[in-house]
Amino acid sequence: MRTSEAQPVVAGIDGSRTHPVTVDLAADQAVRRGVPLLLLHIWPGQYTGRYRCRGPVPAEPDARRLLDAAARRARQRAPWLTVGTELRTGSPAGVLAEHSETAALVVIGRRDEGPGRPGWGSTAAYLARHSRSALLVQRGGGQRHGPVVLAVPGPEEPAAPVRRAFEEASLTGSKLVAVHVWRPGEDPVRARRYLVEVLAGWAGRYPRVEVEPLAIPEPEVAYTLERASRRGRLLVAGIRHRGHLGDLLLGTAGNGTPTGLSPVLMIPPGPARTGRTALSPRTARAVS
């Protein structure tokens, strides 16, 4: 059951070797927003769908012990945080998508699917197209440094990712690198002008954020994204972001995504639910 009527941060815990990092990241995000943390594990014991896990299915008591251990870790990281757990059966993608209807944020880890398969795994790839809340995909380990990198939405796409990228850069005191892709046949001058216009209004609201606009031709996207993933602290893009850049973020344009990369924050097209309340000075210091 949910621990509060406030919109929680929901973290999907899968028992992989990197899931403790996902727990830490989710706890930090819940503290920043002043909302509860809900740790969710989808036990595969009764699931008979297409993407049933390979190998022996863990027993239900093992699943509960996994959740209990994750909750202890979250409470050790943030003793003042309200932490709840929930064990479900079914499709992980479906259950997490259901929770995204009322979550402030969904946090999951990236599955290493290996060469020739989507770099995020089927659950993350599905949520990156269908989540109703913001989605944070943990792809590496430990504290990240460097700039916030924004995949600038196109003229017909919602501007919510731009606002969130400025917010994240302001909160972390980071530089913001805004990347816009122009395709062969397009006028690069118009592409750069569009990028400047998109950023101008938000830069006025966040005057302390250093902004680097970067308009690149489509053939340079893969290289630029790879460098940003290794050197940045966070990548921000829109859910259902169209185009080659969005496909690369999902890992569908290559042969899998290596580990040790920055998290990706994907923003839904509607008004993003932050679930934030006022933070006490102690809490604000803890997450700064």
Side-chain angles (χ1 to χ4, degrees), residues 254-273:
N255 292 322
T257 306
T259 58
L261 304 183
S262 61
V264 176
L265 178 63
M266 306 201 77
I267 309 302
R273 298 189 297 275

Side-chain angles (χ1 to χ4, degrees), residues 113-205:
E113 296 285 352
R117 296 183 181 179
W120 282 18
S122 59
T123 298
Y126 179 86
L127 291 171
R129 299 295 191 192
H130 301 285
S131 178
R132 299 297 298 275
S133 71
L135 173 70
L136 183 58
V137 182
Q138 172 64 34
R139 302 190 297 166
Q143 180 68 31
R144 299 290 306 192
H145 302 282
V148 172
V149 180
L150 166 67
V152 175
E156 298 180 358
E157 295 181 296
V162 182
R163 175 180 65 82
R164 179 58 71 88
F166 271 95
E167 286 181 355
E168 294 291 335
S170 178
L171 285 169
T172 56
S174 306
K175 179 180 180 179
L176 174 61
V177 178
V179 181
H180 176 57
V181 180
W182 53 273
R183 300 176 182 276
E186 293 183 4
D187 183 354
V189 175
R190 292 186 62 182
R192 295 187 186 97
R193 185 181 301 121
Y194 166 76
L195 177 57
V196 171
E197 291 174 353
V198 167
L199 299 174
W202 295 102
R205 300 185 192 185

Side-chain angles (χ1 to χ4, degrees), residues 13-287:
I13 306 302
D14 60 5
S16 65
R17 61 184 176 83
T18 60
H19 91 264
V21 180
T22 304
V23 173
D24 293 348
L25 180 63
D28 292 346
Q29 293 293 321
V31 170
R32 173 190 288 184
R33 289 164 172 77
V35 301
L37 171 64
L38 177 63
L39 300 171
L40 176 67
H41 178 62
I42 296 88
W43 179 55
Q46 299 177 14
Y47 177 57
T48 59
R50 178 179 178 184
Y51 295 107
R52 184 183 178 90
C53 69
R54 302 177 181 88
V57 176
E60 184 174 351
D62 294 329
R64 296 193 181 279
R65 282 192 289 269
L66 173 68
L67 275 175
D68 291 342
R72 287 194 299 270
R73 184 181 181 94
R75 294 187 182 104
Q76 289 173 355
R77 188 169 184 86
W80 54 90
L81 179 63
T82 300
V83 181
T85 62
E86 185 174 324
L87 181 63
R88 293 279 298 273
T89 60
S91 161
V95 173
L96 286 164
E98 174 190 329
H99 275 273
S100 76
E101 296 279 349
T102 54
L105 175 72
V106 173
V107 183
I108 58 175
R110 180 190 67 85
R111 283 281 195 175
D112 186 2
E113 296 285 352
R117 296 183 181 179
W120 282 18
S122 59
T123 298
Y126 179 86
L127 291 171
R129 299 295 191 192
H130 301 285
S131 178
R132 299 297 298 275
S133 71
L135 173 70
L136 183 58
V137 182
Q138 172 64 34
R139 302 190 297 166
Q143 180 68 31
R144 299 290 306 192
H145 302 282
V148 172
V149 180
L150 166 67
V152 175
E156 298 180 358
E157 295 181 296
V162 182
R163 175 180 65 82
R164 179 58 71 88
F166 271 95
E167 286 181 355
E168 294 291 335
S170 178
L171 285 169
T172 56
S174 306
K175 179 180 180 179
L176 174 61
V177 178
V179 181
H180 176 57
V181 180
W182 53 273
R183 300 176 182 276
E186 293 183 4
D187 183 354
V189 175
R190 292 186 62 182
R192 295 187 186 97
R193 185 181 301 121
Y194 166 76
L195 177 57
V196 171
E197 291 174 353
V198 167
L199 299 174
W202 295 102
R205 300 185 192 185
Y206 296 90
R208 296 186 179 181
V209 174
E210 179 186 356
V211 181
E212 178 184 347
L214 185 61
I216 61 173
E218 191 173 56
E220 296 182 11
V221 171
Y223 173 73
T224 301
L225 186 60
E226 193 273 339
R227 288 189 65 192
S229 294
R230 293 190 178 279
R231 299 184 180 185
R233 72 164 58 234
L234 181 70
L235 269 63
V236 182
I239 286 177
R240 295 184 292 276
H241 185 101
R242 294 191 294 269
H244 190 47
L245 182 57
D247 291 337
L248 282 171
L249 281 171
L250 293 175
T252 57
N255 292 322
T257 306
T259 58
L261 304 183
S262 61
V264 176
L265 178 63
M266 306 201 77
I267 309 302
R273 298 189 297 275
T274 63
R276 289 179 180 167
T277 59
L279 300 183
S280 68
R282 175 190 177 194
T283 301
R285 288 194 298 271
V287 300

